[in-house]
Amino acid sequence: MTTSIPAPTKRELAEASMRRSWFPVARLCDLDTPQTATLLGVSLVIYRDGEGRISVQSRRCPHRGGDLSMGEVHRSSIGCPYHGWEFSSADGSCSRIPSLADQGKIPPRASIATYPAVERFGHVWTVLEDPIRDMYEIEEWQGLDLEWLAADPIDSSVGVGVTIENFRDVAHFPFVHKVSMGPTPEVVEPLIVNRDGLDVWMDRPLDAGSGDWANDGDCMMRYRCSAPGLASITYHYEKLGRRVVAGFPSPIDYEHVKIFWGVANEVGYRGADLEECLRVEEMVYLEDIPIVEFIEPREIPWDSEFQEFSVPADLFTLNYRRSFTELMNRVKDGSHVNEFV
Amino acid sequence: MSTSSSDSQTLPLRVVAARWESESITSYELARADGGELPAWEPGAHVDVHLPSGTVRQYSLCGDPTDTSRYRIAVLELPAGRGGSVEVHRELRPGRVIPIGRPRSNFVLAEADRYVFVAGGIGITPMLPMIREVQRRGGTWELVYGARTVEHFAFVRELDPSAVQLVPQDTHGHLDLESVVASSSGAAVYCCGPTPLMDALVERMSRAGRGDDLHLERFAAAAPVVGSSGEFEVELARSEKVVPVRPDQTVLEAVRDAGIDHPSSCEMGICGSCEVKVLGGDVDHRDDLLTESERAQCNSMMICVSRACGARLVLDL
């Protein structure tokens, strides 16, 4: 008699692929004190140790469950606020137990999990398990000297997929962004969407005619997203140079994200400063949140739990779903990226 | 935000020359109306040609990459095809300005000591700049070039005759692929042409354990559409049924008529709900979602719009 293991649902594959993908867990500008994050249910502490190294580690002290984020940061360790146990910022091993006379008797397995920490786009990024994709490299930012300003993160009770699709959707402008963008055409032109592996992009001109950017002149926008969780617009102004807005929703759990996001200007950009760019982008983005929060279901219905209908204006979204599906296929095929950045 | 323009990926280029190259093949030279420089490209690259009807077709660039003042494409007129090539021949007259996509490439010339190029018909086009590049690098190359009759060989005058073997099908039959495989040992093999030619070469090269040496360009536009009546059969492997698909019917409809429930949503080839694994046969992809490399791999199709190139498709249904 043989028993067969049921094939994983697409939701299970989506969750597994996110556990093996990079997400931001803190803003670099907040690291004066230890920060906390929950990534796919895993409680994390993020801090810069006395030597300047950034660590991403599990937040629970394995002694009696103290919250390490409330503890003290030492030269190369973090101490628990409860009994002062210290854990190495490099590898999470227990390096000191104050109550113990003989430090040679530290329980050998008393340690906290340590995850990779990469500084990129104004944030600290990590990955929970063996990565199936490299850290994001955005083609149009290669060779560009970008200065980042990280926005206040936004809490949103939908999943990574729904959040990214909102970033990339152009058909909602005349409805959701009536105030910030003014009247915009309802009919969406045929979208020319490109997809290569995990990357999807398209170029659109920004009409300088009206709205907040009226004086900035002609601009091409490159919309990009990279599965599972990065969406960006790179604005290329003929007169001013390049600027960027990018969002990186980080899953607290499958149907709840903390949206880290930010703006960047190319060094030498001749348009508005970073604070002003952030102010305008935030005004637009805060219009999305109350609408998107009530989307039903709260994550892409991968297993056709809900029937959806699509039209050509959804072509970017549909391509994003295919790129995400490629991640799931990588999980299914058991592939992995060896390079641990 | 403007929704008025979709030309972000395209350049308005003027047809500055149309030239008869051989039976049914015409080449077109395209340049910027202001005489400016064009985006650079590499041998093997192709461009999207946006035809007045809204049809978009990909054609290989077959001019000289070092000449940035103009692009050249060549198009085989296929009266029984899907209509793109006929429209090109009808509409691309000198003087006409037409949106052309930026060059893209899936067909890159790898480093090798020696190259064997295998062209079937209009498949010669991506080979021309590749051959020019190999010559520029001082490499050795040979070309095996098959066409229906001697009248169908294009661009032969541009090539060194000592390296070219012409095989007209009416007098010499099909290309001798066994001897291509045997004589190309150690060489990179590049092939472009009708699907059956490429399939046959794939099969022989893999049998010889040399699949990695073979580089292909599969072009829907270059593949002949067999069964121009539009009728074909689908074999539903899991259900063990063979279902005819009439010209006025989609594969999805035929599958449903056979009593098989299958999901669909947009039914215009964009959403992917009806995607089906293809186990055999060649697909005439008509969706807007698959990338070119996914089309070339031909592992799946959107059965709401796509059809068969040949007489039968085998689907995992």
Side-chain angles (χ1 to χ4, degrees), chain A residues 173 181 184-185 187 189-190 192 194-195 203-204 206-207 220-221 223 307-312 315 318-319 322, chain B residues 1-10 50 104 264-266 268 270-272 275 288-291 294 300 302:
Chain A
F173 294 166
M181 293 186 187
T184 47
V187 173
E189 85 277 11
I192 301 173
N194 305 281
R195 177 164 46 85
D203 293 326
R204 295 183 100 211
L206 174 64
D207 184 358
M220 275 306 293
M221 299 182 292
Y223 284 69
Q307 193 179 10
E308 292 186 329
F309 296 90
S310 298
V311 290
L315 209 50
L318 295 161
N319 271 282
R322 284 191 75 81
Chain B
M1 218 145 290
S2 165
T3 53
S4 62
S5 171
S6 63
D7 62 4
S8 56
Q9 299 276 307
T10 65
H50 295 252
R104 290 180 292 164
S264 72
S265 175
C266 73
M268 51 183 149
I270 59 163
C271 78
E275 184 170 13
D288 285 317
L289 193 58
L290 293 176
T291 62
E294 286 167 340
S300 73
M302 307 304 166

Side-chain angles (χ1 to χ4, degrees), chain B residues 106-108 118 127 189-193 195 197-199 201-202 213-219 296:
Chain B
N106 303 318
F107 197 35
V108 178
V118 182
M127 309 287 169
V189 181
Y190 280 79
C191 177
C192 184
T195 306
L197 165 70
M198 292 194 285
D199 285 349
L201 190 57
V202 167
D213 296 341
L214 180 62
H215 308 265
L216 292 179
E217 176 84 310
R218 286 188 191 266
F219 256 132

Side-chain angles (χ1 to χ4, degrees), chain B residues 14-305:
Chain B
R14 170 164 286 149
V15 180
V16 292
R19 186 187 156 99
W20 183 87
E21 297 290 349
S22 72
E23 189 57 42
S24 305
I25 295 180
T26 307
S27 71
Y28 300 90
E29 289 184 7
L30 304 149
R32 273 171 55 156
D34 62 5
E37 284 205 358
L38 293 166
W41 57 282
E42 292 197 358
H46 63 269
V47 291
D48 286 343
V49 175
H50 295 252
L51 293 166
S53 66
T55 299
V56 181
R57 288 287 182 268
Q58 288 82 39
Y59 296 105
S60 293
L61 290 171
C62 61
D64 179 356
T66 62
D67 178 1
T68 54
S69 73
R70 57 191 57 204
Y71 292 154
R72 183 173 74 166
I73 58 171
V75 180
L76 169 70
E77 187 169 16
L78 277 169
R82 290 179 292 159
S85 71
V86 173
E87 190 179 350
V88 167
H89 280 246
R90 197 180 57 232
E91 299 289 343
L92 264 61
R93 297 178 187 284
R96 176 122 200 189
V97 174
I98 200 143
I100 303 290
R102 288 165 189 277
R104 290 180 292 164
S105 187
N106 303 318
F107 197 35
V108 178
L109 192 63
E111 288 290 338
D113 295 332
R114 190 161 74 89
Y115 297 85
V116 174
F117 295 100
V118 182
I122 193 68
I124 186 66
T125 52
M127 309 287 169
L128 292 172
M130 288 190 162
I131 288 171
R132 199 172 276 128
E133 173 68 14
V134 170
Q135 278 175 329
R136 198 186 59 76
R137 292 182 192 169
T140 53
W141 62 275
E142 57 201 277
L143 167 69
V144 185
Y145 182 8
R148 275 159 57 200
T149 72
V150 256
E151 284 78 34
H152 287 80
F153 288 107
F155 304 113
V156 175
R157 278 173 301 111
E158 299 180 19
L159 298 165
D160 172 3
S162 68
V164 179
Q165 184 194 338
L166 298 179
V167 185
Q169 198 185 325
D170 60 340
T171 53
H172 291 70
H174 286 294
L175 298 182
D176 182 356
L177 298 180
E178 293 295 350
S179 92
V180 167
V181 174
S183 67
S184 65
S185 175
V189 181
Y190 280 79
C191 177
C192 184
T195 306
L197 165 70
M198 292 194 285
D199 285 349
L201 190 57
V202 167
E203 197 254 328
R204 284 176 175 79
M205 287 290 281
S206 354
R207 226 181 324 127
R210 294 184 50 220
D212 289 348
D213 296 341
L214 180 62
H215 308 265
L216 292 179
E217 176 84 310
R218 286 188 191 266
F219 256 132
V225 179
V226 184
S228 53
S229 66
E231 206 168 296
F232 55 95
E233 288 177 339
V234 286
E235 182 180 333
L236 310 178
R238 270 189 279 146
S239 323
E240 298 181 342
K241 282 183 186 175
V242 176
V243 179
V245 184
R246 297 188 312 268
D248 63 341
Q249 199 183 26
T250 64
V251 175
L252 179 67
E253 285 162 354
V255 163
R256 285 183 176 158
D257 284 354
I260 291 164
D261 190 26
H262 189 73
S264 72
S265 175
C266 73
E267 302 201 6
M268 51 183 149
I270 59 163
C271 78
S273 303
C274 67
E275 184 170 13
V276 170
K277 213 159 145 189
V278 175
L279 304 174
D282 261 319
V283 179
D284 172 13
H285 291 287
R286 299 184 181 189
D287 66 277
D288 285 317
L289 193 58
L290 293 176
T291 62
E292 274 174 64
S293 68
E294 286 167 340
R295 281 160 197 239
Q297 285 161 12
C298 208
N299 292 328
S300 73
M301 69 185 287
M302 307 304 166
I303 61 171
C304 66
V305 290

Side-chain angles (χ1 to χ4, degrees), chain A residues 82-323:
Chain A
Y82 199 2
H83 304 96
W85 286 33
E86 286 177 36
F87 299 89
S88 153
S89 52
D91 64 5
S93 60
C94 182
S95 53
R96 182 166 173 260
I97 297 179
S99 64
L100 197 62
D102 178 358
Q103 292 296 312
K105 292 193 172 156
I106 291 174
R109 293 171 64 192
S111 66
I112 56 175
T114 302
Y115 303 91
V118 169
E119 298 174 46
R120 194 76 60 90
F121 317 141
H123 291 78
V124 183
W125 298 70
T126 196
V127 57
L128 294 176
E129 292 174 19
D130 183 19
I132 42 165
R133 62 153 300 146
D134 291 323
M135 179 59 201
Y136 302 100
E137 296 280 358
I138 306 303
E139 193 195 324
E140 55 271 21
W141 301 347
Q142 299 303 310
L144 208 60
D145 198 358
L146 288 175
E147 192 189 344
W148 283 89
L149 178 61
D152 283 335
I154 298 169
D155 187 272
S156 181
S157 55
V158 288
V160 167
V162 163
T163 307
I164 293 285
E165 290 185 1
N166 168 243
F167 270 113
R168 285 291 72 102
D169 177 65
V170 294
H172 77 277
F173 294 166
F175 308 99
V176 175
H177 301 303
K178 217 178 285 179
V179 175
S180 66
M181 293 186 187
T184 47
E186 295 187 355
V187 173
V188 174
E189 85 277 11
L191 302 176
I192 301 173
V193 181
N194 305 281
R195 177 164 46 85
D196 183 12
L198 302 177
D199 282 292
V200 182
W201 67 97
M202 67 175 174
D203 293 326
R204 295 183 100 211
L206 174 64
D207 184 358
S210 62
D212 274 281
W213 294 287
N215 297 321
D216 295 347
D218 288 343
C219 169
M220 275 306 293
M221 299 182 292
R222 169 151 294 187
Y223 284 69
R224 149 111 42 200
C225 69
S226 191
L230 184 142
S232 61
I233 304 175
T234 305
Y235 299 81
H236 190 175
Y237 294 90
E238 280 172 20
K239 291 197 315 205
L240 308 177
R242 274 171 279 228
R243 70 178 187 91
V244 170
V245 56
F248 343 98
S250 184
I252 294 169
D253 61 40
Y254 187 67
E255 294 177 332
H256 186 183
V257 292
K258 184 167 181 179
I259 304 166
F260 289 97
W261 69 286
V263 294
N265 286 350
E266 158 181 42
V267 170
Y269 179 69
R270 291 178 295 280
D273 63 19
L274 280 171
E275 282 75 17
E276 173 61 11
C277 291
L278 184 67
R279 185 190 70 77
V280 177
E281 296 289 358
E282 187 167 47
M283 185 174 71
V284 176
Y285 197 41
L286 291 177
E287 290 172 336
D288 287 290
I289 297 299
I291 304 296
V292 174
E293 268 198 322
F294 292 96
I295 287 176
E296 168 77 9
R298 294 198 281 146
E299 184 52 302
I300 297 167
W302 288 114
D303 295 297
S304 308
E305 314 86 291
F306 284 75
Q307 193 179 10
E308 292 186 329
F309 296 90
S310 298
V311 290
D314 299 312
L315 209 50
F316 202 107
T317 289
L318 295 161
N319 271 282
Y320 164 67
R321 291 186 184 186
R322 284 191 75 81
S323 64

